[in-house]
Amino acid sequence: MTKIDSKIPQGTIDKKWSDYKSHVKLVNPANKRAIDIIVVGSGLAGASAAASLAEMGYSVKVFCFQDSPRRAHSIAAQGGINAAKNYKNDGDSVFRLFYDTIKGGDYRAREANVHRLAEVSANIIDQCVAQGVPFARDYGGLLDNRSFGGTQVQRTFYAAGQTGQQLLLGAYSALSKEIAKGNIQMYNRHELMDVVVINGKARGIIARNLVNGKIERFSGHAVLLCTGGYGNVFFLSTNAMGSNASAAWKAYKRGAFFGNPCYTQIHPTCIPVSGDHQSKLTLMSESLRNDGRIWVPKKKEDAIAIQQGKKTGNDIPEEDRDYYLERRYPAFGNLVPRDVASRAAKERCDAGFGVNATGQAVFLDFAYNLKYKYGKTEATKKGIHSPTEQQLYDLGKEVVKEKYGNLFDMYMQITGENPYEVPMKIYPAVHYTMGGLWVDYNLMTTVPGLYALGEANFSDHGANRLGASALMQGLADGYFVIPYTIGDYLADEIRTGKIPTHTPEFDEAEKIVKERIHFFVNNKGSKSVDHFHKRLGKVMWDKCGMARNEKGLKEAIEEIKQIRQEFWKEVKVPGSDTEFNPELDKATRVADFLELAELMCTDALHRNESCGGHFREEYQTEEGEAKRDDEHFAYVAAWEFKGNEIQPQLHQEQLVFENIKLVQRSYK
């Protein structure tokens, strides 16, 4: 039986990483070119890891299912990236970022990994500035910062509302340089179909060329999965429609443990669902909570009038507005963490105070800051005495447009409403997954030679991710962690030689892949892939979404089994497997979602506590907050695959807190 060994270095928390780097095994520069590394995924984690490793001298192959690495979902991140640089002189430090991340994750993350993340965060900003990433700057030309939920300092660096895009272009430029030098072979439109394990070690992958359907074999001395999260198991999410969990799931079925699958994040700041026609949801950056105030009407009759279209938000006088986050959490106000803000919005809407036709929305209002925070400041700067209301609005609009203009434009195009003039409407939606493949301190899974980086692993965010920390983790793992830790493994691989692809293990993996694809294109079903995906998504949202309970989770498990049985009998995939066939691609991914969903519910059912994004209705305080059980559940739940239709085995990695005291989270 595989045992969990987190391989956390000895020593004090502030010395672990530096001491580790001083003593880790190294690979001789002359030997690196003989070592092949496969990187699956070209987002921030994948592109930065591939560029860094290639620059070090390794031979690297990179795979992405998009037509270009620039289309990785990292591009969609809007609000910013955290770093403990204390540019605002407001008391920030490495330890405070470490503390905020542990606390924000509701004390369900590994201390050593999180402290390392905080330590390298400042280096990320320097790296990206050197690459030319156009971070926002203040009037004096210095890098600017803004606040994000769960913190009381300004540590978030940003590029308007398109930070992910700019960071990805920086990583892509580093990747492209190594491609041009011949150190990286880039395989666009290739999707991982299986991981090949030989003698217990990851030795390659089976990939499908999505343009012509050809099944191809690739070998390597190590395989890095940088393939993102599994939020699309819910069908409707803020993820790109192509985002999927298949790479991680294939690794799980090859022996990699899956950590904390029930930890999914509901983002509070999304454009509300408008109907059954939607295929995805749109995120409005959490950075908007810096300057927007969240509220619903105090009077239910006002909420009903808004739902019926008889009133708008502007018709509700100030004294009749309930700024419920400011009321419930005065210390943090609108900047409480995502899980807290999401549940608070759900509570108000469930109580009948929602502000759209479905009753599933709250207001995010910029009117006050447009006029008085920014308008007055700009008027003073420009020497305008006694400005009119219109002047205040116009001056404030200039500032807000500079900070959030593309987000406001996007909202206007999608909803047809002008957020400069009327309050935005937002509602929580599935956004990020804190769970993922279990990894040790080296970012290696339980399969030797198989690594997971970024959102594909479980390691840094516990039960809830703070805003602007995803970009931080992806680039930390790729630029500053894996280049050191992978050497510890590869130092013993230099005598292995080239890994052949004509082996029984590659034969068996390719056979399984071809049989599955052959099934899909030949099955005589009558229902589309989306038919089953939507049904799965509804079950997951209703019974394993913002709130879960024992009864609902047990029902969900049975319903998912039923949907899965029907899927394999009734799914219809048009087209062939020798052409570009997006429906076939979706079918293989949804088949994996139908298995992963059951594991998510199983994990949520076993964890008899509430923590972060995992809110069990049976376990809450009198104030409706998450109620943890540190005595029984202060561990990582790592699940081992035991076979199809067989209950997976639970392994526990106990979380030891030596530097932070376990207390009930409070943002009041």
Side-chain angles (χ1 to χ4, degrees):
M1 184 179 71
T2 305
K3 291 184 178 180
I4 286 185
D5 179 4
S6 58
K7 297 181 181 175
I8 298 172
Q10 298 297 313
T12 59
I13 193 75
D14 58 328
K15 294 290 192 296
K16 288 182 187 294
W17 179 233
S18 57
D19 287 351
Y20 173 94
K21 289 189 294 181
S22 299
H23 297 94
V24 70
K25 295 178 185 175
L26 299 176
V27 179
N28 186 315
N31 292 327
K32 287 176 180 172
R33 188 54 59 201
I35 292 179
D36 297 313
I37 299 175
I38 290 173
V39 178
V40 185
S42 63
L44 289 182
S48 60
S52 300
L53 294 170
E55 200 169 64
M56 293 169 68
Y58 294 107
S59 178
V60 181
K61 300 182 183 75
V62 181
F63 298 81
C64 71
F65 65 74
Q66 299 92 345
D67 60 351
S68 165
R70 289 175 299 158
R71 300 202 187 276
H73 187 56
S74 300
I75 203 171
Q78 299 167 340
I81 176 170
N82 289 330
K85 277 186 169 288
N86 195 31
Y87 277 5
K88 294 295 184 180
N89 197 28
D90 52 5
D92 201 10
S93 65
V94 166
F95 185 85
R96 191 173 291 278
L97 175 53
F98 162 62
Y99 173 80
D100 286 345
T101 305
I102 291 284
K103 177 185 176 184
D106 219 349
Y107 305 92
R108 291 294 177 263
R110 188 190 289 155
E111 274 194 347
N113 288 62
V114 177
H115 196 277
R116 177 176 64 187
L117 176 66
E119 285 181 69
V120 305
S121 64
N123 296 337
I124 298 170
I125 306 304
D126 297 338
Q127 170 92 354
C128 294
V129 169
Q131 290 174 336
V133 173
F135 286 121
R137 294 178 180 267
D138 63 21
Y139 185 75
L142 300 176
L143 293 176
D144 201 7
N145 294 107
R146 57 189 178 201
S147 297
F148 257 62
T151 72
Q152 290 181 306
V153 298
Q154 297 181 75
R155 66 163 65 103
T156 304
F157 295 79
Y158 65 99
Q162 50 183 262
T163 313
Q165 178 177 350
Q166 298 303 328
L167 290 172
L168 186 62
L169 288 172
Y172 174 69
S173 68
L175 181 74
S176 298
K177 181 188 73 171
E178 296 304 317
I179 293 173
K181 289 167 64 177
N183 297 334
I184 292 177
Q185 290 177 266
M186 187 72 220
Y187 295 88
N188 300 338
R189 289 293 190 193
H190 278 70
E191 183 160 18
L192 181 149
M193 305 303 291
D194 207 347
V195 175
V196 179
V197 178
I198 301 176
N199 295 326
K201 295 182 177 182
R203 291 304 195 191
I205 65 171
I206 304 295
R208 180 170 179 267
N209 184 320
L210 298 181
V211 176
N212 59 25
K214 185 180 178 182
I215 305 301
E216 302 174 13
R217 304 178 181 191
F218 300 91
S219 66
H221 296 85
V223 177
L224 277 58
L225 299 184
C226 311
T227 50
Y230 47 91
N232 273 353
V233 71
F234 290 86
F235 186 71
L236 286 180
S237 81
T238 66
N239 290 187
M241 291 178 64
S243 298
N244 64 85
S246 289
W249 194 247
K250 294 299 190 296
Y252 166 71
K253 297 183 83 168
R254 289 292 182 184
F257 291 3
F258 210 110
N260 298 332
C262 76
Y263 288 165
T264 55
Q265 182 169 79
I266 313 297
H267 197 296
T269 318
C270 303
I271 296 178
V273 175
S274 58
D276 292 338
H277 62 282
Q278 283 181 271
S279 54
K280 77 176 298 292
L281 297 174
T282 303
L283 171 69
M284 300 305 295
S285 170
E286 183 183 344
S287 63
L288 295 172
R289 290 200 276 150
N290 269 298
D291 295 311
R293 301 178 71 194
I294 296 172
W295 64 276
V296 294
K298 287 181 179 178
K299 299 175 182 176
K300 192 168 287 188
E301 56 264 32
D302 285 340
I304 293 171
I306 293 173
Q307 292 167 16
Q308 295 174 345
K310 297 176 181 177
K311 285 186 177 182
T312 69
N314 289 341
D315 295 325
I316 309 301
E318 185 69 22
E319 62 270 18
D320 290 334
R321 300 181 179 191
D322 178 15
Y323 295 96
Y324 58 88
L325 290 179
E326 298 172 34
R327 167 173 56 83
R328 291 179 60 177
Y329 309 101
F332 281 74
N334 296 298
L335 289 177
V336 293
R338 292 173 174 177
D339 60 322
V340 176
S342 295
R343 285 196 296 274
K346 181 179 188 296
E347 184 275 327
R348 285 293 79 197
C349 291
D350 288 350
F353 294 92
V355 296
N356 67 351
T358 66
Q360 300 296 300
V362 298
F363 285 130
L364 178 60
D365 195 344
F366 281 77
Y368 178 85
N369 284 324
L370 266 171
K371 289 183 181 179
Y372 302 113
K373 179 180 177 181
Y374 292 121
K376 283 190 174 182
T377 301
E378 284 299 292
T380 301
K381 279 183 185 177
K382 296 182 178 181
I384 301 174
H385 304 291
S386 304
T388 65
E389 288 283 304
Q390 186 62 44
Q391 283 179 308
L392 286 175
Y393 169 79
D394 291 339
L395 291 167
K397 183 177 178 181
E398 289 179 23
V399 179
V400 171
K401 191 170 185 178
E402 184 177 342
K403 294 179 74 172
Y404 309 113
N406 65 311
L407 300 174
F408 276 53
D409 292 344
M410 184 169 66
Y411 181 89
M412 202 179 317
Q413 290 172 7
I414 291 172
T415 66
E417 295 183 345
N418 186 343
Y420 292 108
E421 298 175 358
V422 297
M424 284 184 182
K425 293 172 184 162
I426 59 169
Y427 193 70
V430 173
H431 176 58
Y432 187 89
T433 51
M434 286 73 65
L437 293 177
W438 183 92
V439 293
D440 61 20
Y441 191 74
N442 295 330
L443 303 184
M444 190 190 287
T445 69
T446 46
V447 176
L450 181 64
Y451 294 80
L453 281 65
E455 193 180 355
N457 73 35
F458 86 100
S459 72
D460 290 0
H461 307 298
N464 175 63
R465 177 174 69 79
L466 292 183
S469 286
L471 304 184
M472 177 174 62
Q473 187 206 349
L475 291 180
D477 286 355
Y479 282 137
F480 299 108
V481 178
I482 199 67
Y484 287 98
T485 62
I486 200 168
D488 192 54
Y489 173 75
L490 293 177
D492 296 327
E493 291 294 313
I494 55 178
R495 294 183 180 85
T496 303
K498 200 78 174 173
I499 308 294
T501 58
H502 297 290
T503 66
E505 291 84 359
F506 273 95
D507 292 343
E508 182 244 359
E510 182 175 318
K511 179 173 178 286
I512 291 172
V513 168
K514 286 183 173 179
E515 286 176 350
R516 182 179 241 201
I517 290 173
H518 184 265
F519 166 83
F520 282 127
V521 296
N522 289 283
N523 195 49
K524 305 302 181 184
S526 60
K527 295 182 173 64
S528 70
V529 176
D530 278 353
H531 167 83
F532 295 99
H533 198 178
K534 286 181 179 180
R535 284 175 58 191
L536 174 66
K538 180 167 175 49
V539 171
M540 292 299 291
W541 178 251
D542 289 345
K543 296 177 180 178
C544 195
M546 261 197 284
R548 303 103 184 258
N549 59 58
E550 181 179 2
K551 178 176 179 292
L553 289 167
K554 288 180 176 178
E555 291 172 351
I557 290 171
E558 295 305 314
E559 290 173 27
I560 292 166
K561 289 179 179 178
Q562 181 62 37
I563 296 170
R564 190 163 65 239
Q565 289 176 1
E566 292 182 32
F567 172 82
W568 287 104
K569 291 179 182 177
E570 295 295 332
V571 70
K572 177 179 177 60
V573 177
S576 76
D577 59 348
T578 57
E579 61 184 353
F580 181 65
N581 189 345
E583 284 300 305
L584 175 57
D585 305 338
K586 278 198 294 186
T588 61
R589 298 164 186 170
V590 171
D592 294 329
F593 278 142
L594 285 163
E595 296 178 355
L596 170 59
E598 185 176 341
L599 181 64
M600 291 169 66
C601 293
T602 299
D603 187 40
L605 183 61
H606 110 275
R607 189 169 283 276
N608 293 321
E609 65 165 352
S610 289
C611 55
H614 169 64
F615 190 75
R616 282 283 297 269
E617 292 174 342
E618 306 96 320
Y619 307 101
Q620 55 182 299
T621 66
E622 293 180 0
E623 295 81 23
E625 306 295 346
K627 187 176 182 180
R628 295 196 321 270
D629 182 353
D630 294 330
E631 182 181 353
H632 299 102
F633 290 97
Y635 61 75
V636 178
W639 296 89
E640 179 184 6
F641 178 70
K642 304 300 288 186
N644 293 321
E645 306 303 326
I646 299 175
Q647 183 75 8
Q649 182 177 348
L650 172 64
H651 301 262
Q652 299 177 12
E653 179 199 344
Q654 296 298 323
L655 294 170
V656 179
F657 294 91
E658 299 173 337
N659 302 275
I660 290 179
K661 183 180 179 182
L662 286 169
V663 296
Q664 188 68 33
R665 270 200 310 172
S666 175
Y667 293 94
K668 294 183 177 180

